[in-house]
Amino acid sequence: MIRAILSTLKELFGFLWQNKLWWMAPIVVVLLLFSGLMFLAQSSALAPFVYTLF
């Protein structure tokens, strides 16, 4: 499963670089970080701290 996710990310960033959309890479990275943060905050002890950020 992780290998498939990494393969998809590699393909996405390859597409961005090939089509000269390298400026979109930071946007994608930030969105991935926020989605990971939201996933971790669903049912963990970090939830009260994450909600104070937003």
Side-chain angles (χ1 to χ4, degrees):
M1 182 173 145
I2 293 175
R3 186 172 285 179
I5 294 171
L6 291 176
S7 173
T8 303
L9 288 175
K10 181 180 174 184
E11 189 173 339
L12 173 67
F13 282 106
F15 171 78
L16 292 176
W17 251 258
Q18 184 178 6
N19 291 313
K20 309 252 188 274
L21 297 174
W22 47 268
W23 54 271
M24 275 185 119
I27 297 169
V28 172
V29 169
V30 168
L31 287 175
L32 288 172
L33 288 174
F34 275 132
S35 64
L37 184 64
M38 290 295 115
F39 179 75
L40 289 175
Q42 284 180 359
S43 62
S44 70
L46 295 175
F49 301 108
V50 172
Y51 290 126
T52 59
L53 296 175
F54 300 103

